[in-house]
Amino acid sequence: MPRTTTLECPGCPPLRALTFDELGLIKVIEARGKQGRAEPKLVERWGDLDSSKSVLAASLDDRKSDPLLAVARRNGMIEVLNPLNGDLRFSVTNSSNNGVQPEDDPVAGLHLLAKKNLELASRSCTLLTCTAKGNASIRSFELTKPASDVTSTGSSRTWSVGAGGNILCSKVDGSENYFLFGGKRVEMNVWDLDSCAKIWTAKPPPKNTLGIFTPTWFTSATFLSKDDHRKFVAGTNSHEVRLYDISAQRRPVISFEFRETAIKSVAEDLDGYTIYVGNGSGDLASFDIRTGKLLGCFLGKCSGSIRSIARHPDYPVIASCGLDSYLRLWNVKTRQLLSAVYLKQPLSNVLFDSNFADEEAEVVNPPANRLLHGEHIAPERDEDETPPVKRKKSKEKKGSKTEAKEKTGNGEPCQDNEQHIVAERDEGETPPLKRKKSKEKKGSKKEAKAKSGNNEACDDGGKKLKSKKSSKRLKRADVDDLS
Amino acid sequence: MGGDNNRRKRSESDGGGEEPPPERKMDVLPSMIKNKEKRSAVHAKLKQQKKLEKRKKAKARDAAEKRALELGEEPPAKKIPKTIENTREVDETVCKPDDEELFAGNDADEFSSILKRESNPKILITTCRFNSSRGPEFIKELLSVIPNATYYKRGTYDLKKIVEYANKKDFTSLIVVHTNRREPDALLIIGLPAGPTAHFKLSKLVLRKDIKNHGNPTSHEPELVLNNFTTRLGHRIGRLIQSLFPQEPNFRGRRVVTFHNQRDFIFFRHHRYIFEEKETKQIESKGKKTKDANGESGPKGKVIARLQECGPRFTLKLISLQHGTFDTKGGEYEWVHKPEMDTSRRRFFL
């Protein structure tokens, strides 16, 4: 038998993700069933193969009823779809480019403003678009049943943010009052959406000790938390990640480097201080932005530039996608690869549909989970939830290997051990447990040695030599048995 | 410890007489024995046993074949040896012929205008800043391999400037030969104007004059053979290489350029071939590199393809594939080789 070292992917909780690629396809990936360890699969594909319809930006308004998905395409069209079945609600051209070819002035940012809708009639949507040349516009559309006639309601505003450069990234904060963008030769700007006025601009960092000035080139940005528009993180082409605080100063508060290729995407966690950084050579890492310290890297043979990272609103899961045409799902806590789905095309965007709930999954995860959505989640709360999922996982994983062991009636310690292995890096509760375990292990090992003379000890050593990991697990179980 | 070893020894010698039970053999690996003399003795014994077994098996196999031949039966099926290639790890990115997304992706990619024969390839070849001895010779041969290629001196220009210049002059590809210690060691193929940048390691370079009985290529446009580019990445690399050559080969020239991928190494060979109809096999021995290609054709005799190698011989290994033209600082990679990928010998990317 060939020795294969394919990583065993533990699967992920039930979720639904949408990916957008360079051929203009929208693919729906769903993981459903089986108690938090489902294999995500491609379930639907919308759109036809046309490279001119390559997706540049996408935004999802995932309210409970009547969700909307907006997609900006390379040919200047903006389509609003139903994210549940892919039906086209309506499509408009990006009107802000008067006389300019849409290919020359592609859409750089697209946002569906959800909160604005609440005041208006429920059947309308508001779109904020920003093109690379700096034409921003807010338009509202009335949704009528036949897709053909779309009435643009009065509140249509277009203004030029006149950057002179090339806008590459934009973001709207949680309250949807502030709008942030930056790009090549464009410093980070924060605009007030109500008055369409610039309220803040960043200042480039000073020259370094050698007198070299790095040109401004922002590639990605994100607000640090949902209810604070003052702090945001930006990634630059010169592989720097910067934290800006509007209330403090115009220069970055913290700035640190990550690897050696351009930062291509930045995403924030729900806890308000962890950020995820992906770069042009496929490295993904999480940072604590308060200190600028690297928390850890996500390792999983990812070799193509990471274009987009999305954090799941409920589960501790992030998704990353990029030029290697894989959608990868990671556990945030253990930084373990949960699953990778091959989607055949270079991907440009990934979004989570937070309202997706599998029928079976609904039973397992009571609706209490759902309450967390939209709130600021305290980290302890989050961690409380993860262990059951994990334990189930480990149990099932273990099941096949050490069935015999569990039959003998010491399922309990065995399982604990397993959890220890799986959730080694879990900060929340494991450290005391770990310490205890290791002590116990040592003690029992000695005991075992003392008890069973030379023979046994030698055998143990042999097992260790033979196969590192599995034998370790087995051995531990053995030791527990003895003790 | 000693007592333990002795016990083990005994069990070993007990088993060694006739048929050692396999599970016993497993738990007493010779490498676990600490006494060197005993270890080597056990090891030698094991080895001898293996050898005998192997010989026995071979004998049985031969006998079965012989008997089948005598009885006029079908000989037992030959076993296919396990190689690293045919036990390759399963890769879901391997291209399938019925994948419509793949073809749509091909139509949309950077090489489609050349491969659809809408435009002709035009290649610019240049070097790194310092270039001497084998570098220029290699480039001379590369110029004879790739039609419609021109060599430009590198001078002191930045590569980004050269890319700009080549774009202006409507070149479709740019090849940079990188030399280290007077020996070409890397090849950079840049698709223009937007195409990807492939960085290859170049090794085992043998120039034409070092090949025995080499031929001299004609100026006909060569045929191109691309072997084993199976995965999506390999497919893309294949298309990149394909876009270097004219799409209408001049079959009269009987020139063939081969890029053969095996275990992620791309072997480059350049041959001239000829089909000859021969009555007897005597002439074959005269041919330097003969091969039975077409086998029997008609009662007259064999049509044999004779190959004559010309041009350089080298091996490429992909290091990275970058999206867009050459940009080391802000570039996005479609694929980079990372050390963490090398956890299995049976995983291949092309």
Side-chain angles (χ1 to χ4, degrees):
Chain A
M1 268 302 286
R3 188 177 62 93
T4 52
T5 52
T6 36
L7 266 176
E8 195 179 305
C9 291
C12 53
L15 47 81
R16 176 183 155 106
L18 302 161
T19 60
F20 308 89
D21 63 34
E22 291 191 341
L23 281 184
L25 298 174
I26 303 172
K27 288 176 178 171
V28 184
I29 290 92
E30 280 180 14
R32 43 171 80 233
K34 281 210 290 169
Q35 299 157 20
R37 44 161 308 172
E39 193 64 36
K41 272 187 212 102
L42 176 68
V43 288
E44 270 179 282
R45 200 186 86 180
W46 304 329
D48 41 335
L49 304 154
D50 184 1
S51 60
S52 70
K53 290 171 96 180
S54 165
V55 178
L56 299 172
S59 171
L60 181 69
D61 173 14
D62 49 352
R63 47 194 169 179
K64 280 260 188 311
S65 64
D66 195 22
L68 289 174
L69 170 73
V71 173
R73 300 192 184 269
R74 175 151 292 152
N75 56 7
M77 297 296 282
I78 294 170
E79 292 178 358
V80 177
L81 308 142
N82 183 349
L84 299 177
N85 52 17
D87 289 344
L88 184 70
R89 302 298 284 267
F90 65 88
S91 67
V92 286
T93 54
N94 192 16
S95 67
S96 56
N97 43 28
N98 27 16
V100 188
Q101 283 293 310
E103 278 77 13
D104 296 337
D105 194 10
V107 176
L110 173 72
H111 304 277
L112 261 177
L113 303 183
K115 301 241 166 83
K116 291 256 154 70
N117 274 341
L118 299 176
E119 300 122 41
L120 298 167
S122 61
R123 305 200 63 74
S124 75
C125 73
T126 312
L127 282 173
L128 167 65
T129 57
C130 180
T131 62
K133 294 244 171 76
N135 297 312
S137 70
I138 296 186
R139 286 176 291 166
S140 302
F141 298 98
E142 201 72 47
L143 289 175
T144 42
K145 267 291 156 204
S148 53
D149 51 292
V150 178
T151 50
S152 176
T153 52
S155 61
S156 168
R157 275 176 295 161
T158 307
W159 75 98
S160 174
V161 289
N166 203 352
I167 293 177
L168 294 171
C169 55
S170 71
K171 207 84 187 178
V172 172
D173 80 321
S175 65
E176 296 183 346
N177 288 325
Y178 299 95
F179 170 57
L180 157 83
F181 66 84
K184 191 179 177 182
R185 298 194 300 278
V186 184
E187 279 293 340
M188 294 311 287
N189 281 285
V190 179
W191 287 61
D192 193 331
L193 280 182
D194 291 333
S195 57
C196 296
K198 189 194 284 184
I199 58 169
W200 185 84
T201 342
K203 212 172 170 185
K207 289 173 184 173
N208 67 3
T209 48
L210 296 173
I212 298 166
F213 176 75
T214 27
T216 310
W217 191 336
F218 289 98
T219 49
S220 55
T222 182
F223 282 101
L224 205 50
S225 74
K226 274 197 169 164
D227 30 47
D228 187 11
H229 74 275
R230 286 168 301 189
K231 284 179 189 154
F232 62 87
V233 180
T236 70
N237 199 52
S238 48
H239 47 91
E240 240 175 36
V241 182
R242 295 175 186 164
L243 170 70
Y244 286 97
D245 191 346
I246 295 179
S247 51
Q249 60 189 39
R250 289 179 62 198
R251 285 199 165 132
V253 181
I254 290 175
S255 149
F256 53 89
E257 300 206 335
F258 175 57
R259 301 279 165 100
E260 272 153 2
T261 47
I263 308 293
K264 284 291 168 190
S265 59
V266 174
E268 81 284 9
D269 198 276
L270 301 171
D271 60 13
Y273 55 84
T274 310
I275 56 159
Y276 306 103
V277 177
N279 77 0
S281 56
D283 303 311
L284 181 64
S286 59
F287 281 91
D288 188 338
I289 197 68
R290 295 172 299 188
T291 54
K293 285 263 162 61
L294 177 74
L295 293 176
C297 288
F298 293 81
L299 296 174
K301 305 192 180 70
C302 178
S303 58
S305 167
I306 293 171
R307 285 274 179 92
S308 170
I309 306 170
R311 169 72 160 88
H312 196 275
D314 298 341
Y315 301 109
V317 170
I318 58 168
S320 73
C321 72
L323 290 182
D324 66 345
S325 48
Y326 271 99
L327 171 76
R328 286 166 212 268
L329 296 159
W330 311 84
N331 187 337
V332 168
K333 293 278 157 9
T334 58
R335 289 188 279 281
Q336 201 185 13
L337 181 69
L338 295 178
S339 190
V341 190
Y342 178 58
L343 295 172
K344 294 182 185 171
Q345 301 299 333
L347 305 169
S348 61
N349 261 301
V350 60
L351 292 172
F352 274 118
D353 182 0
S354 60
N355 286 328
F356 170 73
D358 198 19
E359 302 81 53
E360 307 160 66
E362 199 66 70
V363 184
V364 180
N365 301 299
N369 257 0
R370 293 275 151 216
L371 288 179
L372 294 174
H373 171 229
E375 288 174 16
H376 181 79
I377 295 180
E380 308 91 61
R381 185 70 189 270
D382 219 336
E383 271 168 16
D384 279 345
E385 277 183 20
T386 44
V389 177
K390 241 177 243 157
R391 200 162 296 150
K392 266 163 213 158
K393 232 185 285 163
S394 55
K395 204 193 256 172
E396 278 188 33
K397 206 167 107 190
K398 192 84 186 173
S400 56
K401 276 182 193 166
T402 54
E403 234 171 357
K405 286 269 130 72
E406 268 172 318
K407 263 180 206 165
T408 55
N410 65 338
E412 186 77 353
C414 176
Q415 190 184 319
D416 264 359
N417 262 337
E418 179 60 25
Q419 197 194 354
H420 170 197
I421 290 161
V422 170
E424 227 162 9
R425 268 181 268 170
D426 200 340
E427 298 100 320
E429 36 157 4
T430 37
L433 189 138
K434 210 195 265 176
R435 216 168 293 140
K436 215 195 282 169
K437 270 292 148 207
S438 57
K439 231 182 255 169
E440 222 177 87
K441 201 176 74 192
K442 259 183 211 165
S444 52
K445 218 182 204 173
K446 267 179 207 161
E447 260 178 44
K449 254 184 200 169
K451 261 185 202 169
S452 56
N454 284 342
N455 286 350
E456 215 73 16
C458 195
D459 272 342
D460 252 2
K463 264 179 199 167
K464 214 185 271 170
L465 270 176
K466 236 184 277 166
S467 59
K468 277 169 202 162
K469 210 155 193 187
S470 61
S471 74
K472 224 181 230 173
R473 275 183 207 162
L474 284 171
K475 197 187 73 194
R476 263 185 216 162
D478 278 342
V479 167
D480 277 346
D481 234 335
L482 285 169
S483 63
Chain B
M1 257 320 179
D4 185 37
N5 264 341
N6 275 342
R7 192 181 66 85
R8 211 169 261 137
K9 273 265 74 135
R10 243 184 291 121
S11 74
E12 186 52 44
S13 56
D14 284 348
E18 52 280 13
E19 267 299 292
E23 69 274 355
R24 182 64 59 82
K25 216 197 295 178
M26 281 317 285
D27 61 20
V28 202
L29 284 173
S31 58
M32 282 153 46
I33 300 167
K34 286 186 178 165
N35 186 324
K36 188 174 179 184
E37 272 178 35
K38 281 170 183 167
R39 185 171 66 231
S40 52
V42 171
H43 178 73
K45 192 168 250 173
L46 275 178
K47 211 157 189 198
Q48 172 74 7
Q49 269 168 21
K50 255 185 200 166
K51 195 175 151 193
L52 288 177
E53 260 171 49
K54 209 173 175 185
R55 201 176 283 170
K56 216 191 253 174
K57 253 189 204 168
K59 235 175 205 174
R61 200 165 53 221
D62 284 348
E65 211 167 292
K66 212 173 181 184
R67 205 183 51 202
L69 209 70
E70 275 172 6
L71 293 172
E73 283 171 2
E74 195 91 333
K78 272 199 173 154
K79 282 175 189 166
I80 302 160
K82 269 182 196 153
T83 59
I84 287 185
E85 284 99 330
N86 65 22
T87 54
R88 166 182 187 162
E89 270 183 23
V90 190
D91 195 341
E92 52 192 346
T93 69
V94 167
C95 295
K96 292 175 191 81
D98 57 340
D99 191 357
E100 52 164 343
E101 277 186 44
L102 171 70
F103 294 111
N106 281 351
D107 289 341
D109 76 358
E110 297 93 338
F111 321 112
S112 65
S113 78
I114 294 173
L115 301 191
K116 280 179 185 162
R117 307 177 189 194
E118 284 158 8
S119 59
N120 270 329
K122 192 178 164 196
I123 319 294
L124 191 155
I125 298 180
T126 189
T127 59
C128 61
R129 287 281 267 282
F130 306 102
N131 182 35
S132 74
S133 102
R134 293 241 289 176
E137 281 174 49
F138 175 54
I139 285 171
K140 218 177 274 170
E141 292 184 8
L142 218 52
L143 286 171
S144 73
V145 171
I146 305 173
N148 206 4
T150 26
Y151 168 67
Y152 280 73
K153 274 188 191 163
R154 172 68 185 261
T156 54
Y157 295 106
D158 287 342
L159 201 47
K160 282 185 188 172
K161 286 273 185 258
I162 293 175
V163 168
E164 234 169 72
Y165 171 81
N167 265 336
K168 230 181 272 168
K169 295 268 175 182
D170 291 326
F171 282 98
T172 58
S173 297
L174 168 64
I175 298 177
V176 182
V177 179
H178 188 266
T179 315
N180 186 22
R181 296 204 258 171
R182 298 177 295 288
E183 182 70 32
D185 73 336
L187 204 63
L188 208 62
I189 302 179
I190 306 176
L192 297 174
T197 305
H199 183 200
F200 294 100
K201 183 179 84 178
L202 192 149
S203 55
K204 300 258 159 61
L205 173 66
V206 181
L207 294 175
R208 184 176 302 149
K209 69 173 195 325
D210 301 323
I211 297 171
K212 264 189 186 172
N213 298 318
H214 67 84
N216 288 316
T218 51
S219 60
H220 294 92
E221 282 162 4
E223 297 158 44
L224 187 64
V225 178
L226 295 169
N227 278 342
N228 288 343
F229 291 93
T230 50
T231 65
R232 196 61 201 268
L233 176 71
H235 189 75
R236 203 161 154 73
I237 294 294
R239 281 175 73 86
L240 174 71
I241 292 169
Q242 203 183 342
S243 74
L244 295 176
F245 290 88
Q247 299 308 301
E248 280 129 352
N250 213 330
F251 289 105
R252 284 184 57 112
R254 305 192 317 272
R255 250 179 92 188
V256 59
V257 170
T258 313
F259 287 87
H260 174 84
N261 170 35
Q262 192 168 1
R263 303 185 192 178
D264 280 356
F265 288 93
I266 302 168
F267 298 94
F268 172 90
R269 295 289 183 273
H270 182 199
H271 290 104
R272 226 157 49 160
Y273 65 89
I274 190 162
F275 289 120
E276 278 184 2
E277 221 165 86
K278 290 291 161 194
E279 295 282 339
T280 52
K281 275 189 172 181
Q282 286 170 5
I283 304 99
E284 247 186 50
S285 56
K286 269 187 210 164
K288 300 101 206 170
K289 294 202 168 191
T290 44
K291 228 183 181 182
D292 290 272
N294 288 16
E296 225 83 28
S297 80
K300 280 180 194 169
K302 277 180 176 176
V303 173
I304 52 167
R306 297 205 298 146
L307 282 179
Q308 184 180 30
E309 189 165 356
C310 40
R313 186 195 287 177
F314 56 87
T315 307
L316 298 174
K317 182 152 202 278
L318 186 65
I319 294 172
S320 71
L321 180 67
Q322 199 179 14
H323 189 72
T325 54
F326 182 80
D327 183 2
T328 44
K329 266 193 184 154
E332 271 185 292
Y333 289 91
E334 290 178 29
W335 186 84
V336 211
H337 183 264
K338 287 182 184 172
E340 73 213 42
M341 296 167 172
D342 296 332
T343 47
S344 166
R345 302 161 67 202
R346 298 169 202 279
R347 186 181 305 125
F348 303 114
F349 301 100
L350 290 182

